[in-house]
Amino acid sequence: MADQIVSPVGKVLWSDLTQTDAYGKYTLKVGFGPDVDLSVIEEQIALAVDEKFGGKVTPKMRMPIVDGNTEVDDDGKVYETSKDMRIVRFKTKRKPQCVGPKGPEDIIDAEDIYSGCYVKVMCEFFPYDNVGKGVSAQLDAVQLYKHGPALTGGSGKKIPLKDAFAEVPESDDEIGRAHV
């Protein structure tokens, strides 16, 4: 059976720790640069594969580490944020505990873990053979290691708040009208 480990420091590429997905899971996708030693993670994955599948990995098995160069947009271009990264997808059904840079006593909100910050992840790996086969990375806890620039999407014209919102009038004749 695989042991609980703590990952090296990686960059959060996707954080959904404030709400669950359609499967009832919290998700954290972390990218690790090509020079980061992931042997502790790879060893735990190998143990999980040995335990359930006799060490045999097939091409159809889902693994928690993916090549960031396979993460592409609709035009087939590799996302700049995942280029040359190795990405680990961590998931859990229980809301993970989040701690700040000062350690276990520095409890922070899940909202403080955002795409672009750097984290260490307490996790464990386990094999599954139900709706497909593979190894999953269970997220147990996450530590904000340091802040980084947020990876935000969006484009186009931005409207200053002072131009977008005014005091709400007494009459409701604006209902249904958009301002562009």
Side-chain angles (χ1 to χ4, degrees):
M1 179 170 216
D3 296 325
Q4 189 176 55
I5 61 162
V6 176
S7 77
V9 175
K11 184 178 193 173
V12 175
L13 302 178
W14 175 260
S15 177
D16 207 351
L17 300 180
T18 59
Q19 63 185 16
T20 59
D21 62 16
Y23 303 100
K25 295 183 179 181
Y26 298 94
T27 305
L28 187 67
K29 192 160 80 167
V30 180
F32 298 92
D35 297 334
V36 175
D37 180 8
L38 293 183
S39 60
V40 66
I41 290 175
E42 292 163 341
E43 289 168 9
Q44 294 303 306
I45 292 170
L47 285 172
V49 168
D50 285 345
E51 176 187 322
K52 186 79 171 180
F53 308 112
K56 204 173 199 180
V57 176
T58 66
K60 290 189 175 187
M61 291 174 106
R62 290 185 53 101
M63 292 294 164
I65 297 179
V66 297
D67 178 353
N69 294 321
T70 63
E71 301 278 307
V72 296
D73 64 17
D74 292 338
D75 296 325
K77 294 179 185 171
V78 175
Y79 289 112
E80 204 53 45
T81 55
S82 63
K83 187 176 182 181
D84 298 328
M85 295 275 213
R86 290 169 297 156
I87 300 170
V88 180
R89 291 181 178 106
F90 300 95
K91 295 183 177 191
T92 183
K93 288 186 177 183
R94 295 182 312 266
K95 190 164 186 146
Q97 186 170 17
C98 302
V99 299
K102 295 179 182 171
E105 303 301 319
D106 185 16
I107 304 299
I108 62 174
D109 291 327
E111 294 89 14
D112 295 328
I113 305 296
Y114 58 92
S115 300
C117 73
Y118 293 84
V119 297
K120 291 171 80 173
V121 179
M122 181 187 299
C123 57
E124 47 197 301
F125 297 85
F126 63 90
Y128 61 88
D129 184 4
N130 44 26
V131 183
K133 294 180 181 184
V135 175
S136 188
Q138 178 176 300
L139 170 62
D140 294 331
V142 60
Q143 179 182 26
L144 173 63
Y145 190 79
K146 72 176 187 176
H147 292 283
L151 306 177
T152 58
S155 61
K157 178 182 158 189
K158 303 295 183 207
I159 302 171
L161 284 176
K162 66 179 182 56
D163 296 339
F165 302 113
E167 185 176 338
V168 176
E170 292 289 320
S171 72
D172 63 358
D173 63 347
E174 283 197 46
I175 293 177
R177 290 190 308 172
H179 296 275
V180 186

